[in-house]
Amino acid sequence: MGLPSAIVAVGEVLAKKRTSHEWEMVLRDIKLLIDRGLPVEQIVSQKSISDLIFDDLPYHLKPCFLYLGLFPKGLKIEVEHLYLQWMAEGMISRDDCQENETTMDLAKRYLSDLVQRKIVEVEEDEETPPLRKYKSCQVHEHVKDH
């Protein structure tokens, strides 16, 4: 049952790799899991795939991803509240903002990055369709069970 999700997740990690060396590093990581003597079912489990996804995240997104683990599985998280929490916890810093970007803009950009990587699913606000404003989010289905 976890196999299709595992294939999707590994494919998403590999899709971001540009060189054969990077692909070989992913293969090495998967082989390490096998060499640990883990059953095949566990290797393709969400935890192992989540590890691969986490390892592939840029440094600035890792704390944001980990913070989502504090919320109960399946809970829809109000994004405006999440942005404020990320800022209060120091995950969003003015020092990381681009020119003319607010910390709120940066938090939105970080969430969008997690959405693009298919780590987070979002519900869009129906009242502002042309702006693509997010209303709520939750960890993506293939990452949830880690």
Side-chain angles (χ1 to χ4, degrees), residues 36-47:
R36 289 182 189 166
L38 298 175
V40 173
E41 296 80 22
Q42 189 173 351
I43 291 169
V44 297
S45 74
Q46 307 303 346
K47 182 172 181 7

Side-chain angles (χ1 to χ4, degrees), residues 3-42:
L3 184 59
S5 295
I7 291 170
V8 168
V10 171
E12 289 168 1
V13 169
L14 290 174
K16 296 178 189 85
K17 304 301 179 188
R18 303 237 185 264
T19 67
S20 60
H21 174 71
E22 291 175 317
W23 277 51
E24 288 169 7
M25 296 300 291
V26 172
L27 177 60
R28 179 187 59 90
D29 290 344
I30 292 171
K31 283 182 178 180
L32 283 173
L33 294 171
I34 293 170
D35 291 344
R36 289 182 189 166
L38 298 175
V40 173
E41 296 80 22
Q42 189 173 351

Side-chain angles (χ1 to χ4, degrees), residues 2 7 17 20 24 49 51 57-58 82 88 91 96-97 113 121 140 143 145:
I7 291 170
K17 304 301 179 188
S20 60
E24 288 169 7
I49 297 307
D51 290 344
L57 281 176
L82 179 65
M91 294 170 214
D96 297 325
C97 291
D113 287 350
E121 297 173 303
H140 199 284
V143 182
D145 297 323

Side-chain angles (χ1 to χ4, degrees), residues 45-120:
S45 74
Q46 307 303 346
K47 182 172 181 7
S48 298
I49 297 307
S50 294
D51 290 344
L52 285 174
I53 291 169
F54 181 76
D55 290 345
D56 192 53
L57 281 176
Y59 180 76
H60 66 276
L61 291 179
K62 288 182 180 195
C64 297
F65 171 70
L66 290 174
Y67 194 83
L68 293 171
L70 296 174
F71 295 93
K73 180 179 168 181
L75 177 73
K76 289 188 177 186
I77 307 159
E78 185 182 325
V79 295
E80 297 293 328
H81 183 66
L82 179 65
Y83 298 150
L84 294 173
Q85 288 178 311
W86 281 352
M87 286 184 252
E89 294 289 340
M91 294 170 214
I92 306 294
S93 169
R94 186 87 183 117
D95 298 336
D96 297 325
C97 291
Q98 297 174 353
E99 189 175 328
N100 297 323
E101 185 178 45
T102 66
T103 53
M104 186 62 82
D105 293 335
L106 181 61
K108 290 176 183 178
R109 184 162 48 93
Y110 282 8
L111 181 61
S112 291
D113 287 350
L114 292 171
V115 170
Q116 287 177 342
R117 292 169 179 274
K118 300 200 180 349
I119 294 172
V120 174

Side-chain angles (χ1 to χ4, degrees), residues 120-137:
V120 174
E121 297 173 303
V122 292
E123 181 181 341
E124 293 183 5
D125 190 343
E126 296 173 4
E127 295 176 18
T128 57
L131 301 176
R132 297 200 67 185
K133 183 178 176 187
Y134 300 141
K135 180 179 180 178
S136 66
C137 69

